[in-house]
Amino acid sequence: MMLIGIDPHKSTHTATAVDPETNRDLASIRIDVTLQEYQRMLAWACQWPERRWAVENARGLGHHLTSWLLARGEEVVDVAPSATARVRQLSRGAGRKNDRIDAAAAAWGAAHTSDPQTRQPRNKPEEQGRG
């Protein structure tokens, strides 16, 4: 399963695909925060049929993207910003920081945390209240 880390910002998101077995950064894409660009990023990610998204701060800056991915049946985990900071601190070249490194750190953090916070899609209005 490929892990795709997301470093979200107000106007752009960076996604980095990381092989969880080798921790190798395989590819990256930077998109603007628009529906068309979300679609472009998902098309890019389809090269890995088995994938999981690791969104840094999925309840904050990554909320809209997380909701959009979940609505399309994608698997998403929430990675705390403190976890990605810790990954960067422990990696060689500590202190280096850029969006691609931060996105990879989110993926690595999701792969190595004992309890990743998996996000679930919300029920559609017609499904709410059903047991």
Side-chain angles (χ1 to χ4, degrees):
M1 162 122 15
M2 184 60 61
L3 283 171
I4 302 173
I6 302 288
D7 182 31
H9 295 277
K10 287 181 182 178
S11 61
T12 66
H13 295 328
T14 300
T16 300
V18 174
D19 180 338
E21 293 183 21
T22 64
N23 291 324
R24 209 169 121 228
D25 171 343
L26 299 177
S28 191
I29 186 173
R30 183 176 175 154
I31 63 164
D32 292 328
V33 179
T34 67
L35 177 58
Q36 184 176 6
E37 289 285 275
Y38 284 0
Q39 292 166 337
R40 184 171 72 93
M41 183 177 63
L42 184 56
W44 168 83
C46 283
Q47 63 187 298
W48 300 287
E50 293 184 31
R51 63 187 169 267
R52 178 184 309 157
W53 300 84
V55 180
E56 181 182 37
N57 197 14
R59 294 182 180 147
L61 285 173
H63 176 74
H64 187 263
L65 175 62
T66 296
S67 298
W68 188 87
L69 289 168
L70 289 170
R72 278 139 193 86
E74 297 289 317
E75 185 178 345
V76 180
V77 295
D78 185 6
V79 180
S82 59
T84 58
R86 183 73 175 144
V87 168
R88 280 192 318 274
Q89 188 177 44
L90 294 174
S91 68
R92 61 178 179 228
R96 291 185 327 172
K97 182 171 174 18
N98 67 40
D99 294 342
R100 185 171 182 155
I101 290 170
D102 287 352
W108 194 90
H112 294 90
T113 186
S114 60
D115 185 28
Q117 298 295 308
T118 303
R119 304 295 297 150
Q120 300 295 325
R122 291 185 176 179
N123 290 337
K124 295 178 183 174
E126 63 273 8
E127 294 173 346
Q128 290 178 352
R130 294 184 189 171

